[in-house]
């Protein structure tokens, strides 16, 4: 566990973020492996089927992680204040509520998979495979929640390393099962989805075992499994706002995907590949944001206003330093990276489209470096509303310009639309901070 209420903030943020970056890279890698092996083993149509389902999968994961982030703000605050009983009570309440909500989502999602895909204008020739993939992802939603809430609890007490180990194990398992199910059993899209569900289940089980054996501050006894209604209202007041804010991006992605889907299978596949590569570039900014949230929340609980302020500016600086490195790497390797996702034959047009897309998207990585830092800080301060408003603003403007630009100039229109939305978000968030910072710090207790 890591107490961030003393010592170097730079060291805390980096020590917290580096293993988390590695873990998120592993998660992205096993998602990318799905796409690569599906493409190599089953062709562009199968890859497009996985791509169409991906925004719905991201929506599920982001909604779950949003609840976890909201809960972890309270857990970090209780940990920083030394209130162990409240720490456990908040974890218990989140687990019980989230398990019920996750079960309902799974039961509703499985029969609604096909109607959701139809609403997204999914091409008929990939509808069946897309529905199979999506139904299995809904089935694995239960395990996704369990892992996310326990990993959020570990990060709330400063342990960002342990979840990485479990993600690493599940990533290796996922890759092995992908190869077996797709190339040996020839299960195609079904095999890729099944491998993902099994890997998610393993990571959740390992996380629970570790906590109960090694982290007594989070290990819940049977008599401690209590749904505290008063605390639940507090958690939901931030957790649901955060979940909604986390969901806004994938909801927007669903709308964007519906525009991409009518452009053809090659565009769908190129967009999927480009987004997965872009995600690697954005992960460091997102993890620094999580570190800032934990650091700000712990110091807020300890009542240290000076360290709270330093957390914001030092976190922003870290993000700005790494941006030119990420941008250069994407530009330098964009062609071989896209080529990884192409089928062994017949993927020339997909590769051409993906390379043109990344040539623009690489420069937009700077925007999440700046906005995620402010969002992590605001969450740590308990101000979830501003993150929700700014995200809705960003995705609305992005989606509007996607509808305008993509039909006219193709897939690169999405990259330009994204840049416009991020710019508006930056202007809004930082204007709010400078206008309201005195009130924000005055209310930090």
């Amino acid at each position: 566990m890591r107490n961030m209420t003393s010592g170097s903030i730079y060291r805390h943020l980096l020590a917290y973020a580096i293993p988390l970056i590695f873990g998120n890279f592993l998660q992205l890698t096993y998602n990318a492996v799905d796409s690569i092996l599906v493409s190599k083993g089953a062709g562009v149509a199968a890859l497009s089927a996985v791509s169409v389902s991906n925004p719905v999968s991201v929506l599920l994961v982001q909604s779950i992680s949003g609840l976890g982030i909201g809960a972890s703000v309270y857990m970090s605050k209780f940990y920083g204040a030394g209130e162990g009983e409240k720490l456990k009570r908040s974890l218990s309440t989140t687990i019980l509520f989230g398990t019920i909500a996750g079960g309902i989502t799974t039961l509703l999602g499985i029969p609604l998979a096909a109607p959701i895909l139809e609403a997204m204008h999914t091409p008929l020739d990939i509808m069946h495979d897309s529905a199979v993939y999506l139904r299995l992802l809904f089935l694995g939603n239960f395990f996704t929640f369990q892992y996310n809430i326990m990993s959020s609890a570990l990060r709330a007490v400063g342990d960002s390393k342990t979840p990485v180990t479990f993600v690493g194990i599940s990533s290796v398992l996922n890759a092995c099962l992908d190869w077996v199910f797709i190339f040996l059993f020839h299960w195609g899209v079904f095999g890729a989805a099944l491998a993902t569900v099994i890997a998610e289940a393993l990571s959740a089980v390992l996380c629970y075992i570790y906590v109960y054996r090694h982290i007594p501050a989070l290990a819940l006894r049977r008599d401690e499994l209590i749904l505290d209604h008063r605390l639940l209202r507090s958690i939901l007041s931030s957790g649901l706002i955060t979940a909604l804010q986390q969901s806004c991006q994938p909801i927007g992605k669903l709308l964007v995907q519906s525009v991409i889907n009518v452009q053809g299978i090659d565009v769908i596949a190129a967009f999927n590949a480009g987004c997965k590569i872009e995600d690697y570039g954005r992960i460091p900014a997102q993890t620094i944001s999580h570190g800032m949230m934990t650091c700000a929340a712990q110091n807020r609980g300890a009542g240290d206003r000076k360290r709270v302020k330093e957390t914001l500016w030092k976190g922003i600086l870290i993000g700005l330093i790494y941006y030119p490195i990420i941008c250069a790497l994407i530009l330098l390797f964009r062609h071989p990276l896209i080529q990884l996702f192409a089928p062994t034959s017949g993927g020339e047009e997909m590769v051409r489209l993906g390379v043109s897309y990344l040539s623009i998207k690489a420069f937009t990585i700077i925007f999440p470096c700046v906005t995620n830092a402010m969002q992590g800080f605001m969450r740590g301060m308990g101000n979830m509303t501003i993150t929700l408003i700014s995200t809705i603003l960003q995705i609305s403007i992005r989606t509007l310009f996607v509808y305008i630009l993509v039909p006219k100039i193709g897939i690169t229109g999405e990259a330009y639309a994204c840049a416009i939305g991020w710019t508006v978000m930056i202007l809004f968030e930082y204007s709010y901070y400078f206008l309201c910072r005195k009130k924000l710090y005055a209310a930090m207790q």
Side-chain angles (χ1 to χ4, degrees):
M1 299 191 295
R2 175 173 293 274
N3 189 325
M4 300 185 181
T5 58
S6 62
S8 169
I9 291 177
Y10 282 125
R11 187 176 69 249
H12 283 312
L13 292 179
L14 291 173
Y16 182 97
I18 288 173
L20 196 55
I21 289 171
F22 183 63
N24 284 330
F25 277 170
L26 287 173
Q27 269 190 314
L28 287 177
T29 299
Y30 85 65
N31 288 331
V33 165
D34 279 343
S35 296
I36 292 170
L37 292 180
V38 166
S39 176
K40 304 296 184 186
V44 173
L47 174 60
S48 298
V50 173
S51 306
V52 166
S53 304
N54 187 62
V56 184
S57 171
V58 173
L59 175 59
L60 288 173
V61 173
Q62 294 285 48
S63 299
I64 292 167
S65 64
L67 179 61
I69 289 171
S72 69
V73 170
Y74 280 90
M75 287 188 277
S76 295
K77 182 181 177 181
F78 294 145
Y79 178 69
E83 298 178 302
E85 184 179 346
K86 289 185 178 180
L87 172 62
K88 282 192 172 184
R89 185 66 64 91
S90 60
L91 175 59
S92 169
T93 298
T94 306
I95 289 175
L96 293 175
F97 173 80
T99 300
I100 295 170
I104 294 172
T105 301
T106 299
L107 292 175
L108 293 176
I110 291 174
L112 289 176
I116 290 171
L117 292 168
E118 290 173 1
M120 293 171 61
H121 308 295
T122 302
L124 290 177
D125 50 350
I126 61 172
M127 175 63 76
H128 177 265
D129 281 347
S130 298
V132 168
Y133 191 83
L134 187 56
R135 289 188 185 107
L136 274 174
L137 293 185
F138 272 117
L139 189 61
N141 183 55
F142 173 81
F143 302 110
T144 303
F145 168 78
Q146 299 299 328
Y147 169 76
N148 270 276
I149 186 55
M150 292 309 294
S151 61
S152 294
L154 285 168
R155 290 167 188 149
V157 297
D159 182 1
S160 60
K161 295 180 181 179
T162 300
V164 174
T165 304
F166 304 143
V167 171
I169 294 171
S170 64
S171 297
V172 172
L173 175 64
N174 183 82
C176 293
L177 291 177
D178 270 334
W179 189 84
V180 171
F181 292 161
I182 295 172
F183 287 91
L184 292 185
F185 295 173
H186 303 289
W187 287 350
V189 169
F190 171 79
L194 182 61
T196 299
V197 171
I198 294 173
E200 288 174 346
L202 177 65
S203 62
V205 170
L206 290 176
C207 211
Y208 268 95
I209 291 173
Y210 177 83
V211 165
Y212 275 84
R213 288 186 176 180
H214 301 287
I215 311 293
L218 298 175
L220 299 171
R221 300 187 305 271
R222 182 174 298 179
D223 60 337
E224 292 175 321
L225 285 171
I226 298 171
L227 185 68
D228 187 318
H229 293 87
R230 179 179 296 180
L231 187 55
L232 177 62
R233 285 194 294 270
S234 299
I235 291 173
L236 291 180
S237 68
S238 62
L240 289 182
I241 291 176
T242 307
L244 181 58
Q245 184 262 323
Q246 292 284 96
S247 301
C248 284
Q249 290 289 353
I251 288 173
K253 186 73 174 290
L254 285 173
L255 298 174
V256 170
Q257 187 73 55
S258 69
V259 178
I260 297 295
N261 287 349
V262 300
Q263 308 300 313
I265 290 177
D266 283 325
V267 175
I268 295 172
F271 181 65
N272 170 73
C275 287
K276 288 189 181 302
I277 294 165
E278 180 207 1
D279 285 342
Y280 280 94
R282 291 173 54 181
I283 281 298
Q286 292 172 356
T287 53
I288 290 295
S289 172
H290 286 305
M292 293 173 65
M293 180 191 74
T294 300
C295 188
Q298 286 191 12
N299 284 287
R300 175 180 165 224
D304 194 332
R305 187 176 303 180
K306 180 181 177 182
R307 287 181 65 84
V308 169
K309 292 180 181 179
E310 290 178 356
T311 297
L312 173 61
W313 300 112
K314 292 180 178 179
I316 292 173
L317 182 59
I318 293 172
L320 292 177
I321 289 173
Y322 97 86
Y323 160 70
I325 301 172
I326 295 293
C327 180
L329 289 174
I330 292 177
L331 290 173
L332 184 62
F333 296 105
R334 62 190 184 278
H335 191 278
L337 287 173
I338 289 291
Q339 190 70 49
L340 282 174
F341 293 86
T344 52
S345 62
E348 295 80 7
E349 179 63 11
M350 172 203 159
V351 172
R352 184 189 69 80
L353 291 168
V355 170
S356 66
Y357 178 69
L358 282 183
S359 298
I360 299 170
K361 210 58 183 287
F363 293 100
T364 69
I365 300 296
I366 191 170
F367 298 116
C369 290
V370 179
T371 59
N372 285 343
M374 182 60 76
Q375 293 214 334
F377 173 77
M378 287 294 180
R379 290 181 188 131
M381 295 297 289
N383 192 333
M384 308 297 181
T385 303
I386 189 63
T387 64
L388 173 62
I389 295 173
S390 63
T391 301
I392 292 175
L393 184 63
Q394 183 267 335
I395 197 61
S396 299
I397 293 174
R398 173 193 175 192
T399 304
L400 173 63
F401 277 93
V402 164
Y403 275 85
I404 294 172
L405 296 176
V406 169
K408 294 182 179 180
I409 63 175
I411 191 174
T412 55
E414 194 279 338
Y416 290 119
C418 197
I420 295 169
W422 283 113
T423 300
V424 174
M425 187 179 191
I426 289 172
L427 293 173
F428 177 79
E429 287 182 346
Y430 282 80
S431 295
Y432 174 87
Y433 173 78
F434 285 110
L435 290 173
C436 303
R437 63 186 184 278
K438 291 183 179 180
K439 181 180 178 181
L440 187 69
Y441 290 121
M444 64 175 282
Q445 295 289 3

